[in-house]
Amino acid sequence: MKLPVYMDNHATTPVDPAVLEAMLPYFREHFGNAASRTHAFGWTADEAVERARAQVARLVGASAREIVFTSGATESNNLALKGVAEAYRTVGDHIVTVSTEHRSVLDVCRRLAEQGARVTVLDVDGAGLVDPEEVRRALTDRTILVSVMAANNEVGVLGAIGQIGLLCRERGVLFHTDATQAAGKVALDVEADCIDLMSLSGHKMYGPKGVGALFVRRSRPRVKLAPLLDGGGHERGMRSGTLNVPGIVGMGKAAELAGELRELESARLTVLRDRLFRGICEKLDGVTLNGDAVRRLPGNLNISFASIDSEALISALHDVAVSSGSACTSATLEPSHVLRAMGMEDRRIHSSIRFGLGRFNTEEEVEHVIRRVVDSVRSLRAMAPGHVPAATVAGPSHAGDTGED
Ligand SMILES: *Cc1c(COP(=O)(O)O)cnc(C)c1O
């Protein structure tokens, strides 16, 4: 086993070796500009981009022409929300989203609100989930877009996107989902789930950083989008700028692998994740699970340790890479807006740790992490007497493919 152990796969994932292999020729001999129409260098690059487009489309049940490549999910979310707000300005000005969305959705909504849009931010329950009926109640005649994530990056809970998609479709409102964390982990189908726009990121699914995609529905309904970037008119005018060919090739390969490996990998990660939780709970009291126990990503475990400061625990766990609930999704050190939105007290937020298991984690690593967590929590508690044991809650168990609707 190699140390340190990487168990922060919601922050980013390592590039799969097969992805790197697929990318390398596009740095070397196939360096052409995919927009060059006059020679083989351009044609080869363009063919590779179109292959990748089809690979990404297949993962989510879309057609290749509905995939726009971007620099990542942050850009995809910006393009989806700002692009729809602008293009549908004459239709309406109301957007509905949820308090636990990624910053790249919430901050865009705040910006749009400053510019005059009306934004409704719905609350979640204690398990981190929004009730689809609340979404329905929030819709008005002026609503143009609903944005609800497929899987949360902190607590891993799976949104009821199928139900929300359907009720948006019935009301003629566009539905966007940030599926950055869900892609390759749970089944996604833009048709079955009535999704009109979907954001994806390469580096959250064992592809490279700096590349992402936005699914933009082309029929029933055909989504109109105002671009963020003007220029050469690449990506059917929705995203100008020379294409990142090696990155796009890597994202395509990553999407293909994700589709092939998803079921087995999710089953394996569920077993490892449940072992991690049980192993910790068997030896420690005062451990509570954050987020719904069942409707959750297979590799996610977010727990709070009574009487423990998560930053101190992370320092003590120096050969295990995990993340705290105090700062995971942004460059700032604010306490998690997700855990806060779930109604958690500050004390519990500041004692939370997010474990993110991924493709390359092994059983041996899980056993190591259990030992390190148990030892570290015990010694931290011994240094700060007065720890009162709290009840331990039931463990998570993956809902499987039926969990996301
Ligand atoms: C990581 C992440 C993003 C941002 O993706 P980038 O490709 O890093 O810009 C957006 N949404 C969710 C849910 C994420 O986990």
Side-chain angles (χ1 to χ4, degrees):
M1 179 176 56
K2 246 180 66 197
L3 294 176
V5 172
Y6 187 73
M7 211 169 267
D8 198 14
N9 286 279
H10 300 301
T12 193
T13 54
V15 171
D16 190 293
V19 168
L20 179 62
E21 278 310 308
M23 292 172 69
L24 287 176
Y26 296 90
F27 286 109
R28 293 181 178 136
E29 60 270 33
H30 304 315
F31 58 83
N33 184 330
S36 296
R37 298 274 178 253
T38 50
H39 49 69
F41 295 89
W43 305 333
T44 304
D46 181 58
E47 279 162 22
V49 167
E50 293 315 314
R51 196 173 330 119
R53 204 184 298 285
Q55 287 166 320
V56 172
R58 193 170 315 124
L59 180 66
V60 299
S63 75
R65 294 195 314 162
E66 297 175 308
I67 300 299
V68 174
F69 285 113
T70 65
S71 65
T74 297
E75 186 187 332
S76 298
N77 287 339
N78 271 263
L79 177 57
L81 275 73
K82 292 175 181 168
V84 164
E86 167 88 28
Y88 289 79
R89 213 162 28 190
T90 56
V91 179
D93 61 358
H94 180 226
I95 295 171
V96 177
T97 189
V98 182
S99 54
T100 51
E101 291 293 309
H102 191 264
R103 282 267 150 238
S104 57
V105 167
L106 291 176
D107 289 356
V108 172
C109 285
R110 194 170 53 190
R111 172 89 58 195
L112 291 170
E114 280 166 13
Q115 293 167 355
R118 305 178 204 199
V119 177
T120 301
V121 181
L122 297 172
D123 283 328
V124 294
D125 61 17
L129 291 163
V130 69
D131 180 354
E133 282 310 309
E134 293 235 9
V135 177
R136 190 197 300 278
R137 278 195 289 274
L139 301 180
T140 74
D141 291 344
R142 302 191 62 83
T143 310
I144 49 173
L145 181 69
V146 169
S147 181
V148 179
M149 70 201 320
N152 184 270
N153 47 297
E154 293 189 38
V155 288
V157 297
L158 306 176
I161 55 169
Q163 270 170 273
I164 296 168
L166 184 60
L167 71 89
C168 288
R169 181 68 49 86
E170 287 167 355
R171 287 286 298 265
V173 172
L174 296 178
F175 178 48
H176 166 253
T177 188
D178 177 353
T180 304
Q181 294 288 342
K185 283 118 186 167
V186 295
L188 292 171
D189 188 320
V190 295
E191 293 305 323
D193 291 339
C194 302
I195 294 161
D196 300 310
L197 298 128
M198 177 191 278
S199 300
L200 301 168
S201 177
H203 76 103
K204 305 288 178 76
M205 50 186 219
Y206 310 97
K209 294 170 183 57
V211 61
L214 180 66
F215 157 74
V216 185
R217 178 172 289 284
R218 276 177 70 93
S219 68
R220 287 173 293 124
R222 182 185 179 89
V223 177
K224 290 179 292 179
L225 216 52
L228 298 175
L229 304 177
D230 293 308
H234 306 77
E235 298 296 271
R236 297 189 315 284
M238 283 186 263
R239 208 280 185 174
S240 285
T242 300
L243 274 69
N244 169 9
V245 177
I248 288 168
V249 166
M251 177 149 186
K253 184 68 187 177
E256 182 186 274
L257 288 174
E260 288 168 8
L261 303 175
R262 183 178 61 77
E263 285 187 49
L264 277 176
E265 188 164 285
S266 291
R268 190 183 79 88
L269 289 179
T270 301
V271 171
L272 287 184
R273 189 271 315 275
D274 290 351
R275 167 63 198 147
L276 176 62
F277 188 57
R278 243 179 304 107
I280 291 171
C281 290
E282 276 165 10
K283 298 252 168 60
L284 293 175
D285 53 43
V287 179
T288 44
L289 180 71
N290 300 321
D292 195 272
V294 178
R295 299 176 58 104
R296 147 179 230 125
L297 288 173
N300 178 279
L301 183 66
N302 190 310
I303 47 185
S304 292
F305 298 88
S307 315
I308 291 290
D309 174 57
S310 54
E311 300 303 325
L313 178 53
I314 284 175
S315 309
L317 290 173
H318 50 83
D319 63 1
V320 179
V322 292
S323 174
S324 74
S326 330
C328 355
T329 53
S330 65
T332 62
L333 273 166
E334 289 163 27
S336 160
H337 71 282
V338 173
L339 300 180
R340 184 154 286 167
M342 288 163 59
M344 279 170 49
E345 294 167 30
D346 274 10
R347 222 169 13 147
R348 189 165 149 199
I349 295 174
H350 286 290
S351 68
S352 71
I353 300 278
R354 178 186 68 180
F355 299 87
L357 290 95
R359 182 172 297 169
F360 302 105
N361 285 122
T362 64
E363 245 178 270
E364 193 189 11
E365 288 178 333
V366 169
E367 297 305 323
H368 175 78
V369 173
I370 292 170
R371 281 193 303 275
R372 297 286 300 115
V373 168
V374 168
D375 291 350
S376 304
V377 168
R378 279 182 179 158
S379 58
L380 285 169
R381 282 177 179 169
M383 286 191 290
H387 162 61
V388 184
T392 298
V393 300
S397 127
H398 180 45
D401 290 346
T402 53
E404 77 287 342
D405 55 28

